[in-house]
Amino acid sequence: MRLAALALLSALALPALAAPSVALQGMMGKSALLVINGGAPRAVAPGQRVQGVKVISTQGDEAVVEIEGQRLTLRVGEAPGKVQGAAPSASGNSIVLTADARGHFFTDGYINSRPIRFMVDTGASYVALSESMAQTLGLNYKEAQRVNMMTANGTSEGWMMKLNQVRVNDVMVYNVDAVITPATMPAALLGNSFLNHFSMERHGSRMELNKR
């Protein structure tokens, strides 16, 4: 009995295994040169898994990897990416939101596994981000399609691109169209390129989105 208790205490004292940190050092053909937990670079081809990191796809100077069921987009030269322990798994189908005192629906979410604040905007055709938000998220937007956008100050130039993944709570949507604008924004707009993947029900200050 005493030995069993000691064994249990020893097991409880063991630290939980942390998710690996991973950086993209470069590309070797279609393989990604990954630096995992600060180790030596390793060439990992799409579909292969090394030290808990699976390469999903590679293109240009980017690689999409999967760690503990979550996907990260890595770019050459960026700081190591790591799955945050507080981030929910992306296995849900329903999002429930509550309006603030002004009737706006704000929620925290993730773009390419990086945190961002959203405001639901059913009048917006796309997910919309300011240029400063895109820079913080590490999006390579300046190589995306240039578009003209109407703003309060007239016409300005923006960019249209696809986001690999957009997550709210535990619900993930992939390949979401987005526009990047130079205008200042208090929050990213969660527009119809995301919302159209859901059926929407509104009950007073409560909104429920159910994945189609």
Side-chain angles (χ1 to χ4, degrees), residues 6 11 19 21 28 30 32 37 39 41 58 65 74 79 88 110 162 164 187 212:
L6 287 173
S21 66
M28 182 179 291
K30 292 187 177 181
N37 292 331
T58 60
V65 302
L74 305 176
Y110 299 84
K162 281 192 180 291
N164 290 333
R212 298 183 190 277

Short mmCIF file of all heavy atoms in Angstrom, two decimals, residues 6 11 19 21 28 30 32 37 39 41 58 65 74 79 88 110 162 164 187 212:
data_model
loop_
_atom_site.label_atom_id
_atom_site.label_comp_id
_atom_site.label_asym_id
_atom_site.label_seq_id
_atom_site.Cartn_x
_atom_site.Cartn_y
_atom_site.Cartn_z
N LEU A 6 3.54 5.82 -2.85
CA LEU A 6 4.77 6.49 -3.30
C LEU A 6 4.81 6.58 -4.82
O LEU A 6 5.23 7.59 -5.38
CB LEU A 6 6.00 5.75 -2.76
CG LEU A 6 6.27 5.90 -1.27
CD1 LEU A 6 7.40 4.98 -0.84
CD2 LEU A 6 6.60 7.35 -0.92
N ALA A 11 4.29 9.84 -9.74
CA ALA A 11 3.66 10.12 -11.03
C ALA A 11 3.08 11.52 -11.05
O ALA A 11 3.20 12.24 -12.05
CB ALA A 11 2.55 9.09 -11.30
N ALA A 19 4.26 21.06 -25.28
CA ALA A 19 4.22 20.99 -26.74
C ALA A 19 5.54 21.49 -27.28
O ALA A 19 6.11 22.46 -26.78
CB ALA A 19 3.07 21.83 -27.27
N SER A 21 8.36 23.39 -29.45
CA SER A 21 8.47 24.63 -30.22
C SER A 21 9.18 24.30 -31.52
O SER A 21 10.06 23.44 -31.55
CB SER A 21 9.23 25.70 -29.44
OG SER A 21 10.59 25.33 -29.27
N MET A 28 14.16 22.57 -48.40
CA MET A 28 15.03 21.70 -49.19
C MET A 28 14.12 20.93 -50.15
O MET A 28 13.56 19.90 -49.79
CB MET A 28 15.80 20.73 -48.29
CG MET A 28 16.77 19.82 -49.04
SD MET A 28 17.68 18.75 -47.91
CE MET A 28 18.72 19.95 -47.08
N LYS A 30 10.82 20.09 -51.55
CA LYS A 30 9.50 20.18 -50.93
C LYS A 30 9.55 19.91 -49.43
O LYS A 30 8.53 19.98 -48.74
CB LYS A 30 8.53 19.21 -51.60
CG LYS A 30 8.19 19.58 -53.03
CD LYS A 30 7.09 18.69 -53.59
CE LYS A 30 6.71 19.13 -55.01
NZ LYS A 30 5.62 18.28 -55.57
N ALA A 32 10.64 20.64 -45.48
CA ALA A 32 10.86 21.78 -44.60
C ALA A 32 12.03 21.49 -43.67
O ALA A 32 12.12 20.40 -43.11
CB ALA A 32 9.60 22.05 -43.77
N ASN A 37 12.56 22.41 -30.81
CA ASN A 37 13.09 22.58 -29.45
C ASN A 37 14.56 22.99 -29.45
O ASN A 37 15.34 22.57 -28.59
CB ASN A 37 12.90 21.30 -28.63
CG ASN A 37 11.45 21.01 -28.34
OD1 ASN A 37 10.62 21.92 -28.25
ND2 ASN A 37 11.11 19.74 -28.21
N GLY A 39 16.94 22.19 -31.49
CA GLY A 39 17.89 21.18 -31.96
C GLY A 39 18.43 21.48 -33.34
O GLY A 39 18.23 22.56 -33.90
N PRO A 41 18.75 21.37 -37.40
CA PRO A 41 17.73 21.36 -38.45
C PRO A 41 17.54 19.96 -39.03
O PRO A 41 18.50 19.21 -39.21
CB PRO A 41 18.30 22.32 -39.50
CG PRO A 41 19.29 23.16 -38.77
CD PRO A 41 19.87 22.29 -37.71
N THR A 58 3.96 22.29 -47.79
CA THR A 58 4.98 23.33 -47.93
C THR A 58 4.72 24.09 -49.22
O THR A 58 4.25 23.52 -50.21
CB THR A 58 6.41 22.74 -47.98
OG1 THR A 58 6.51 21.84 -49.09
CG2 THR A 58 6.74 21.99 -46.69
N VAL A 65 2.36 22.97 -40.35
CA VAL A 65 2.68 21.81 -39.52
C VAL A 65 1.53 21.56 -38.54
O VAL A 65 0.73 22.45 -38.25
CB VAL A 65 4.00 22.00 -38.74
CG1 VAL A 65 5.16 22.25 -39.71
CG2 VAL A 65 3.89 23.14 -37.73
N LEU A 74 4.21 28.17 -40.46
CA LEU A 74 5.55 28.67 -40.17
C LEU A 74 6.11 29.35 -41.40
O LEU A 74 5.84 28.94 -42.53
CB LEU A 74 6.47 27.52 -39.76
CG LEU A 74 6.00 26.63 -38.60
CD1 LEU A 74 7.00 25.48 -38.41
CD2 LEU A 74 5.85 27.43 -37.33
N ALA A 79 10.11 33.71 -35.50
CA ALA A 79 10.38 33.12 -34.20
C ALA A 79 9.70 31.76 -34.10
O ALA A 79 8.69 31.52 -34.78
CB ALA A 79 9.89 34.04 -33.08
N PRO A 88 -8.02 26.04 -27.19
CA PRO A 88 -8.91 24.89 -27.24
C PRO A 88 -8.64 24.04 -28.46
O PRO A 88 -8.10 24.50 -29.46
CB PRO A 88 -10.30 25.52 -27.31
CG PRO A 88 -10.07 26.85 -27.96
CD PRO A 88 -8.71 27.30 -27.50
N TYR A 110 -8.54 32.79 -33.19
CA TYR A 110 -7.18 32.55 -33.68
C TYR A 110 -7.18 32.60 -35.20
O TYR A 110 -8.11 32.10 -35.84
CB TYR A 110 -6.66 31.17 -33.23
CG TYR A 110 -6.58 30.99 -31.75
CD1 TYR A 110 -7.70 30.63 -31.01
CD2 TYR A 110 -5.38 31.20 -31.07
CE1 TYR A 110 -7.64 30.47 -29.63
CE2 TYR A 110 -5.31 31.04 -29.69
CZ TYR A 110 -6.44 30.68 -28.99
OH TYR A 110 -6.38 30.53 -27.62
N LYS A 162 -6.08 34.32 -48.73
CA LYS A 162 -6.74 33.25 -48.00
C LYS A 162 -6.00 32.99 -46.69
O LYS A 162 -4.76 32.94 -46.68
CB LYS A 162 -6.80 31.96 -48.83
CG LYS A 162 -7.91 31.96 -49.88
CD LYS A 162 -8.12 30.58 -50.46
CE LYS A 162 -9.23 30.60 -51.50
NZ LYS A 162 -10.55 30.84 -50.90
N ASN A 164 -5.16 30.34 -43.85
CA ASN A 164 -5.15 28.88 -43.75
C ASN A 164 -6.19 28.37 -42.77
O ASN A 164 -6.84 27.35 -43.02
CB ASN A 164 -3.77 28.38 -43.32
CG ASN A 164 -2.73 28.57 -44.40
OD1 ASN A 164 -3.05 28.59 -45.57
ND2 ASN A 164 -1.48 28.71 -44.01
N ALA A 187 -10.96 45.91 -33.89
CA ALA A 187 -10.96 44.45 -33.86
C ALA A 187 -11.07 43.95 -35.29
O ALA A 187 -11.53 44.68 -36.18
CB ALA A 187 -12.12 43.92 -33.02
N ARG A 212 -22.39 24.12 -40.75
CA ARG A 212 -23.21 23.40 -41.73
C ARG A 212 -22.59 22.05 -42.07
O ARG A 212 -21.40 21.89 -42.05
CB ARG A 212 -23.32 24.24 -43.01
CG ARG A 212 -24.01 25.59 -42.81
CD ARG A 212 -24.13 26.30 -44.13
NE ARG A 212 -24.57 27.67 -43.98
CZ ARG A 212 -25.83 28.06 -43.85
NH1 ARG A 212 -26.79 27.16 -43.86
NH2 ARG A 212 -26.14 29.34 -43.73
#
